[in-house]
Amino acid sequence: MNHEIEQILQQISVYLPDSRIVQAVIIVIAAVLLSRLVALVIDTTLKRLARKTRSDLDDKMVAFIQAPLVKTIVLAGLALAVANLGLDDKVVFVTVKLLLTIMVIVWAFPLAGLLKSLFGAASSTREHFGAIQPTTLPLFNNVGKILVWALAVFVVIVVWDLDATGWLASAGVVGLAVGFAAKDTLSNLIAGVFIMADAQYKIDDLIILDSGERGQVTHIGLRSTRLLTRDDIEITVPNAVMGQAKITNETAGPNPQQRLRVPVGVAYGSDIDLVREILLRVALDEKLISGSPEAQVRFRAFGASSLDFELLCWISDPLLKGRAIDRLLCDIDREFRKHRVEIPFPQQDVYIKQLPPNVT
């Protein structure tokens, strides 16, 4: 009886596939089902939680995790199935390595996209990430992409058991050559990044360089900064120069207002109370002058030929400086003429003690 049963089982085994193939198929099916289950869990839990937040950054992170994780589970199932088929060792080695390489590529693409999203979110919050701004965003995106793919290439080299010494040496030589060839460009790039990180100035700020240039910042690039002077002339300054220059930022500070100092000289013998009253009234009537803080007048010194006063007042924007001083001086001259307050000018009296004999 037992002999007959064994014969029947042998005959059945002829028509049935190899058990290793069955195991491999089961492993692949299990991997696919597991990947579907993981995707379902992410959809029903993590994505719902991410939708409740105001930011879309967490939604992008969940999407980053879901796609490569599902693919990795399927690829891992395929690798395990191939390893259980009992094929030649070389075939198994190459197949598994190929699947691992595909896994690295599967993770590299979304990781580069995630870094791009993170840099984009950081550029919108300049108060926390000064170096990452809309102008430097392409730089950080490209650097992040290069680092991701460099890491991916390194992982692939490790997976295939290759000697990375030669690759690293070649990369070092190329890096040195590029560094020497583009020394000035690299110094400008690095200075540009530090300028944006330190936030010495920003777009629309009015700055004065130690070399005397005064203008409004119109562009902060990776290589240079552009200034628009009051003569509508654009000046391009390399960032390496800007990084070492002494910069006066007229727009910076807790308050955008700027104080004007208008020196005024009147003749000796003038009524100083009347002069003070005229200067204050002129500042009060001028629309370009801010009412708060209030204007002030200071009697500074007894000059060589005049009583030296100084009108101190505030303007709301440094760009109004030239126009405001022009209007104040015109109004002061008009009021002084009206009230007969003399504005002296330097003069000298020459006394001839004795003429030469030939001069009559």
Side-chain angles (χ1 to χ4, degrees):
M1 185 68 178
N2 293 333
H3 181 66
E4 293 176 355
I5 294 174
E6 290 178 359
Q7 289 180 350
I8 294 172
L9 292 176
Q10 290 177 1
Q11 292 176 359
I12 294 174
S13 64
V14 173
Y15 299 99
L16 291 176
D18 190 358
S19 60
R20 294 181 179 178
I21 298 177
V22 175
Q23 292 178 0
V25 172
I26 293 174
I27 292 174
V28 173
I29 294 174
V32 173
L33 293 176
L34 181 59
S35 65
R36 297 297 182 185
L37 178 61
V38 171
L40 180 62
V41 172
I42 293 176
D43 288 334
T44 56
T45 57
L46 295 181
K47 285 189 176 181
R48 288 186 179 180
L49 293 175
R51 292 192 193 100
K52 296 180 180 180
T53 60
R54 297 181 179 178
S55 174
D56 61 343
L57 184 60
D58 48 1
D59 298 274
K60 295 178 180 179
M61 294 185 66
V62 172
F64 159 75
I65 295 173
Q66 182 178 9
L69 182 59
V70 170
K71 296 176 182 178
T72 300
I73 294 174
V74 176
L75 292 173
L78 290 175
L80 185 60
V82 170
N84 287 331
L85 282 176
L87 301 176
D88 186 67
D89 291 340
K90 293 182 179 180
V91 175
V92 174
F93 176 82
V94 174
T95 304
V96 173
K97 298 298 183 182
L98 283 174
L99 292 174
L100 291 176
T101 303
I102 295 173
M103 288 184 191
V104 173
I105 297 174
V106 164
W107 281 95
F109 277 105
L111 182 57
L114 179 64
L115 285 179
K116 184 177 180 180
S117 300
L118 291 176
F119 289 144
S123 65
S124 61
T125 55
R126 299 183 185 181
E127 64 275 8
H128 299 297
F129 303 94
I132 307 178
Q133 298 184 10
T135 54
T136 59
L137 186 59
L139 172 65
F140 282 93
N141 287 337
N142 292 331
V143 171
K145 189 183 298 183
I146 292 172
L147 291 177
V148 168
W149 284 107
L151 179 62
V153 171
F154 179 76
V155 174
V156 170
I157 291 175
V158 173
V159 168
W160 286 92
D161 297 330
L162 300 177
D163 186 9
T165 305
W167 295 80
L168 295 176
S170 301
V173 173
V174 172
L176 288 175
V178 173
F180 282 113
K183 179 179 64 176
D184 295 337
T185 302
L186 289 176
S187 63
N188 288 327
L189 289 175
I190 295 173
V193 173
F194 280 103
I195 285 173
M196 296 171 187
D198 293 339
Q200 300 173 347
Y201 51 83
K202 60 183 182 297
I203 301 296
D204 295 332
D205 278 1
L206 191 64
I207 63 175
I208 303 175
L209 303 182
D210 54 0
S211 55
E213 290 87 354
R214 178 178 183 264
Q216 188 175 14
V217 180
T218 59
H219 176 74
I220 304 175
L222 298 178
R223 194 192 66 84
S224 62
T225 297
R226 298 175 192 168
L227 304 179
L228 185 65
T229 67
R230 301 302 296 164
D231 299 326
D232 284 337
I233 298 175
E234 188 175 70
I235 302 175
T236 301
V237 186
N239 284 333
V241 176
M242 296 294 292
Q244 298 178 357
K246 179 181 178 181
I247 300 174
T248 302
N249 193 337
E250 294 186 288
T251 315
N255 196 322
Q257 289 182 320
Q258 183 181 11
R259 187 164 71 171
L260 296 182
R261 296 177 178 269
V262 183
V264 178
V266 297
Y268 276 92
S270 301
D271 187 349
I272 60 175
D273 294 328
L274 177 61
V275 172
R276 190 184 299 272
E277 179 185 351
I278 292 174
L279 294 178
L280 289 176
R281 185 171 64 251
V282 167
L284 182 63
D285 294 340
E286 177 54 52
K287 296 180 180 180
L288 294 181
I289 303 301
S290 300
S292 178
E294 296 181 355
Q296 297 176 344
V297 177
R298 294 288 182 265
F299 186 2
R300 293 301 187 190
F302 293 97
S305 57
S306 64
L307 302 176
D308 296 335
F309 289 83
E310 192 173 43
L311 173 62
L312 306 176
C313 51
W314 295 82
I315 53 178
S316 60
D317 191 338
L319 294 175
L320 302 175
K321 180 177 180 180
R323 198 186 317 169
I325 291 178
D326 172 72
R327 293 188 181 182
L328 288 174
L329 292 179
C330 292
D331 294 340
I332 290 172
D333 180 71
R334 191 179 299 112
E335 290 294 323
F336 278 2
R337 289 177 184 274
K338 179 180 178 181
H339 293 84
R340 296 182 179 182
V341 177
E342 182 181 355
I343 300 178
F345 54 90
Q347 56 184 354
Q348 291 181 342
D349 296 330
V350 179
Y351 295 94
I352 301 176
K353 185 175 181 182
Q354 183 179 0
L355 292 176
N358 296 331
V359 179
T360 60

